[in-house]
Every structure is written in C-alpha cells, then in structure tokens.
Amino acid sequence: MDQLTDVFTAISHPTRRAIIGQLAAGPARFTDIAKPFDTALNSVTKHLKLLERAGLIERKKLGREVLISFRAEPLRQVAGWVHEYERFWNTQLDQFEQHFKDKKRKEKKK
Amino acid sequence: MDQLTDVFTAISHPTRRAIIGQLAAGPARFTDIAKPFDTALNSVTKHLKLLERAGLIERKKLGREVLISFRAEPLRQVAGWVHEYERFWNTQLDQFEQHFKDKKRKEKKK
C-alpha cells in the first residue's frame, strides 16, 4: 500500500477524523482520547494504529506517561491530490452559475 | 454514514483514484474504464459503485451506450476538511526550517 492510501484510509472513518480534531487542540493520553467515544477501548486502539501507520499521530514518552500527538504533515499529500481536481469543480460551478445567469436573462426578456 | 465518509472511502483505494484520473480526461464507457486494470470486471463494478455512492461519477445514457463521467464537486468537501489543518503543517514546517537555521548558525559560530 502506498502512503497516500494509508492516509486516505486513516481519515475515511468519522471516529478517526474526530480523534484528529481532538488532538489538533493538543497532545493527549490514551484514556483522554477514548473518553468522548462510546466505543470499546480495543476499537480506539485499532483506530490509533491506523492513524499511526499513516503518520498522522506519534507517541512520546513523558516520564511514566505516553502522550499522543497529531502530525499534520501527511495531510499535505491529501491537499496536493485534491488540488489536482480543483479546476474541475471550479469549471462545474462556473457552468452552474452560467446556467442561472442564462435563466435570469431569459426571464427578463419575457 | 455521512457524505464525507463516503467520499474519503471512495478515494482511499489506488484503483479508484486511478479511475478518477482516467475520467478527468473525459467520459468513458465501462469497458474502456476496465481496460487498464489487471482486475476482474466484477471488481471494477464494485469500485464504480463506491465512486457513484460518493457522487464522484455519474452515468448517462447516450443512445445505446452508457457513458460514465467524473463529478469533482464532492472533492470540494475533502479540500475543505484538509484546509482546516493547513496551519498545522505550515507551523510544523516553520519549526523544521527554524531547526536547520539554528543548526547552520551554530555551525558558523564554530
């Protein structure tokens, strides 16, 4: 699997996107990460593994505690990939706007 | 499942990203889409279903043929989501650059 696939897979689950949102506020311990989710700890562990494989989180030992922090760098690839298609939705929006402009013009003529 | 999840799931597979890349060049028939992939037609059908569920492709009847075309609009949500984290990788890069500037300065002092 390529890295882009790992990153897209990691962010494809709403719980993992919520974990990213949570960690964006600052590093947290495992128990704090798990707290907001009504899900088994085992399932949180699996979500964190997928985020770690994608390079989106890292674990750091701080004394006897392990702090988990967010790494945004892999999301740059996502931005790069989606940027390739930006011109398409801009074009499609332009066509959409044009459609309504044409419609207005026709209505005025009536 | 929310729509963002459908879109991320759709683009999380390299074959589906390749199909998007192919259709970005213009609409195509099913057989043309399947041709470059060394995979069962049944598997291509499944990939197209996931792309369709995410709103990334649409099928149009043109006489007796069905043409499949790319719809970029759902990718706008992906861009929006990733944009939220842009400041993080910019900050992290800044820290990275600062680290090397500091290193250079120290080396000059030696």
Side-chain angles (χ1 to χ4, degrees):
Chain A
M1 296 272 255
D2 55 315
Q3 214 219 327
L4 190 54
T5 295
D6 284 346
V7 178
F8 275 130
T9 303
I11 61 180
S12 69
H13 196 286
T15 301
R16 292 192 290 271
R17 290 198 299 279
I19 291 173
I20 289 177
Q22 195 189 350
L23 291 176
R29 292 169 305 168
F30 176 80
T31 46
D32 296 324
I33 294 171
K35 216 177 283 169
F37 303 108
D38 187 24
T39 176
L41 292 185
N42 190 25
S43 143
V44 177
T45 303
K46 279 181 192 165
H47 286 312
L48 291 178
K49 268 189 189 153
L50 280 171
L51 287 168
E52 200 165 18
R53 195 173 72 179
L56 286 164
I57 60 166
E58 58 184 0
R59 293 164 204 262
K60 275 179 195 162
K61 269 210 155 179
L62 202 80
R64 291 165 70 176
E65 283 193 328
V66 176
L67 277 182
I68 298 162
S69 59
F70 169 50
R71 283 187 68 245
E73 186 57 33
L75 294 182
R76 184 195 287 270
Q77 283 182 60
V78 170
W81 184 85
V82 82
H83 179 70
E84 290 290 308
Y85 298 102
E86 209 163 293
R87 61 194 164 98
F88 286 95
W89 76 68
N90 286 331
T91 316
Q92 284 170 354
L93 190 74
D94 288 351
Q95 285 171 354
F96 192 72
E97 280 176 357
Q98 199 55 50
H99 171 78
F100 282 97
K101 276 181 192 162
D102 290 350
K103 218 179 150 187
K104 262 192 176 170
R105 205 176 301 138
K106 277 178 193 161
E107 279 167 3
K108 271 187 186 169
K109 278 183 182 171
K110 277 177 192 167
Chain B
M1 297 272 255
D2 56 315
Q3 214 218 326
L4 190 55
T5 295
D6 285 345
V7 178
F8 276 131
T9 302
I11 61 181
S12 70
H13 196 286
T15 301
R16 291 193 289 272
R17 290 197 299 279
I19 291 173
I20 289 176
Q22 194 189 352
L23 291 177
R29 292 169 306 169
F30 175 81
T31 46
D32 297 323
I33 293 171
K35 217 178 283 170
F37 303 107
D38 187 24
T39 175
L41 292 184
N42 190 25
S43 144
V44 176
T45 302
K46 279 181 192 165
H47 286 311
L48 291 178
K49 267 187 191 153
L50 280 171
L51 287 168
E52 201 166 16
R53 195 174 69 179
L56 286 164
I57 61 166
E58 58 184 0
R59 294 164 203 260
K60 275 178 195 161
K61 270 209 155 179
L62 201 80
R64 291 166 71 178
E65 282 193 328
V66 176
L67 278 182
I68 297 161
S69 58
F70 169 50
R71 283 187 69 244
E73 186 58 33
L75 294 182
R76 184 194 287 270
Q77 283 182 60
V78 171
W81 184 85
V82 82
H83 179 70
E84 291 289 311
Y85 298 102
E86 209 163 293
R87 61 196 164 95
F88 286 95
W89 75 69
N90 285 332
T91 316
Q92 284 170 355
L93 190 72
D94 289 351
Q95 286 170 352
F96 192 71
E97 279 175 359
Q98 199 56 49
H99 171 77
F100 281 98
K101 276 182 192 161
D102 290 349
K103 218 180 151 186
K104 261 193 177 170
R105 207 177 299 138
K106 278 177 193 162
E107 277 167 6
K108 271 187 187 168
K109 279 185 183 170
K110 277 178 193 169

